Amino acid sequence: MITRNPCIANLKAGYLFPEIAKRRREYAASHPDAKIISLGVGNTTEPILPHINAGLTEGARKLGTIEGYSGYQDEGMAALREKISSVFYGGKFSIDEVFISDGAKCDIGRLQILFGSNAKIAVQDPSYPVYVDGSVLAGAAGGWEGTGYAGITYLPCTAENNFFPNLDLIPQNSIVYFCSPNNPTGAVANRAQLSALVETSVKKGCIIVFDAAYSEFIRDPSLPKTIYEIEGAAQCAIEVNSFSKPAGFTGVRLGWSVVPKTLKYASGESINADWNRIAGTIFNGASNVAQEGGLAALDDEGLKEIRKLTDFYLGNAKLIRDALVSLGIKCIGGDNSPYIWAHFPGRDSWEVFAEILDKCQVVTTPGAGFGPAGQSFIRFSAFGHRADVEEACKRLEKKL
Ligand SMILES: *Cc1c(COP(=O)(O)O)cnc(C)c1O
């Protein structure tokens, strides 16, 4: 019989969110009257705003006409690639350096094909699970639990280092996954920190995979919204980004990656050329309906809607953060990101998760699920309807 890909067995048992869903189901089964509110998963809840939605509708309509019909467009619509370059990168990139995708997570899952199974990996700890799981599936040995650390280096981001890692820990010639604004901690790296990251990566021959999925939540104008604001980044960084969180496209599926032509392997060959090849070989591009929606999201009216939607979630974040702070709980995030990272020193995060569920009927995410340095933290997500968030905050203030 056929044998199982051994990489699958190396995945850490039980992906975090199914485990949370299981615990929620168990609690609901034994407390049938409980009105459970989720501040757990990072899934959007609010409808797509009208102008952007009209773009999606128009995209579908056009497909039914001779003039508007389109088929495969491997790397994406030229107009959208150009728009992304001008809106997010000041026109710095040519359209063949911007690749449209079905989402940032999907791109992250495909990216490691570029570097093969022997690539060394460094991740912020805690981190968004796909950096580790995608690496393990690509052949990097071991997750952080049980199977050891080989192939993946964890860069602890803790209260002591202000949630920015010690860059000396980054291995030579590695892929460095870096997420800012961060999921799960909500921390945003400042210009000096990102400059140090770029400098270290150039010195050590690393490629940064910079995940900017939450860049549109940044309100502090001094904080960089893309790694390419940092000098030298085009020599060492790939950026992935997404319409999922700012435009509510989690179910629509649309993202992009930037792979500058200046990026080279040790052999001198072009990383951009290979990424282009992969797009045409195993991907075939994002939905053209979604791309019309993306174009609408990036015109003046669409950008106003992105601002409105991200303002709404940031409003939720402020309510949650204020409630936690009023209880004397130390937290970060929630000001330039939709996540609040709350510290319960000396406690086990699954135990705090259970206590909040039991006392307040609020589902959160235990920090330990994102990596060892997440222990004793809880992630609160600001994705929710306002009335639910208000009710959750009331319960936290009264019962926690
Ligand atoms: C939600 C999220 C994404 C977006 O993924 P998509 O596949 O584009 O929906 C990317 N990175 C992080 C850290 C996220 O939390």
Side-chain angles (χ1 to χ4, degrees):
M1 272 171 52
I2 196 125
T3 56
R4 186 189 194 197
N5 175 351
C7 300
I8 298 177
N10 283 338
L11 284 175
K12 185 168 80 75
Y15 183 71
L16 176 61
F17 293 104
E19 179 63 26
I20 292 169
K22 182 175 140 243
R23 293 189 185 217
R24 176 187 174 143
R25 270 197 312 277
E26 287 167 358
Y27 183 83
S30 55
H31 301 78
D33 295 331
K35 287 210 168 47
I36 298 174
I37 298 173
S38 178
L39 300 180
V41 296
N43 201 353
T44 48
T45 55
E46 302 309 297
I48 293 171
L49 290 168
H51 176 77
I52 298 174
N53 202 51
L56 290 168
T57 313
E58 172 62 10
R61 191 200 62 78
K62 273 167 69 175
L63 287 179
T65 67
I66 289 274
E67 323 74 62
Y69 180 77
S70 59
Y72 292 129
Q73 298 162 318
D74 298 345
E75 310 88 8
M77 278 168 42
L80 182 58
R81 303 171 87 184
E82 196 174 333
K83 193 78 184 166
I84 286 172
S85 179
S86 74
V87 169
F88 295 102
Y89 308 106
K92 191 152 57 181
F93 296 109
S94 61
I95 66 167
D96 47 0
E97 295 174 300
V98 179
F99 299 78
I100 310 300
S101 74
D102 52 346
K105 186 192 255 182
C106 321
D107 268 339
I108 293 162
R110 286 185 289 262
L111 260 168
Q112 249 176 262
I113 298 172
L114 292 170
F115 308 104
S117 57
N118 290 327
K120 283 183 282 181
I121 313 295
V123 294
Q124 287 159 296
D125 170 20
S127 87
Y128 184 53
V130 67
Y131 311 141
V132 170
D133 290 347
S135 303
V136 170
L137 283 175
W144 53 267
E145 204 178 65
T147 44
Y149 285 58
I152 302 178
T153 300
Y154 286 75
L155 311 172
C157 297
T158 61
E160 288 72 42
N161 61 22
N162 247 324
F163 303 95
F164 186 81
N166 175 359
L167 302 176
D168 294 341
L169 299 176
I170 295 176
Q172 199 80 23
N173 308 325
S174 57
I175 305 169
V176 184
Y177 287 100
F178 201 94
C179 180
S180 178
N182 191 265
N183 178 8
T185 69
V188 189
N190 64 32
R191 198 167 295 276
Q193 290 170 328
L194 289 185
S195 297
L197 175 67
V198 165
E199 194 182 315
T200 302
S201 298
V202 169
K203 208 161 57 198
K204 294 191 177 182
C206 299
I207 291 285
I208 302 166
V209 176
F210 191 79
D211 185 340
Y214 296 98
S215 60
E216 287 307 295
F217 290 84
I218 292 178
R219 291 295 176 270
D220 177 345
S222 75
L223 295 170
K225 292 174 83 171
T226 153
I227 190 72
Y228 302 117
E229 287 184 39
I230 308 301
E231 193 165 329
Q235 270 67 48
C236 67
I238 290 169
E239 182 161 297
V240 294
N241 206 327
S242 171
F243 289 85
S244 283
K245 311 303 164 35
F249 274 25
T250 38
V252 174
R253 311 305 306 143
L254 189 66
W256 71 90
S257 58
V258 178
V259 182
K261 288 184 183 159
T262 39
L263 282 185
K264 302 278 192 248
Y265 298 106
S267 59
E269 283 158 302
S270 162
I271 296 179
N272 173 284
D274 281 359
W275 190 231
N276 195 57
R277 177 78 198 271
I278 288 168
T281 306
I282 59 160
F283 173 42
N284 264 355
S287 150
N288 38 18
V289 176
Q291 294 187 69
E292 289 286 350
L295 262 181
L298 298 185
D299 65 21
D300 289 346
E301 201 58 36
L303 288 169
K304 273 186 215 149
E305 290 187 345
I306 284 180
R307 179 74 188 204
K308 192 170 160 192
L309 189 61
T310 50
D311 273 344
F312 172 81
Y313 289 126
L314 287 168
N316 283 350
K318 182 170 183 339
L319 291 174
I320 297 165
R321 193 180 159 126
D322 287 350
L324 293 169
V325 168
S326 78
L327 293 166
I329 297 167
K330 274 221 171 78
C331 33
I332 64 150
D335 38 9
N336 294 285
S337 86
Y339 297 116
I340 297 101
W341 191 237
H343 201 183
F344 296 82
R347 307 260 328 259
D348 173 79
S349 26
W350 280 104
E351 182 197 303
V352 179
F353 165 87
E355 182 187 333
I356 297 172
L357 181 58
D358 193 44
K359 286 188 177 161
C360 311
Q361 291 78 51
V362 171
V363 176
T364 57
T365 311
F370 295 102
Q375 187 55 279
S376 83
F377 285 89
I378 288 286
R379 187 192 75 173
F380 288 84
S381 158
F383 295 112
H385 302 312
R386 182 59 52 86
D388 290 339
V389 171
E390 283 171 347
E391 171 63 22
C393 289
K394 231 186 271 167
R395 293 186 200 165
L396 291 170
E397 284 168 335
K398 257 210 269 189
K399 299 181 179 162
L400 196 63

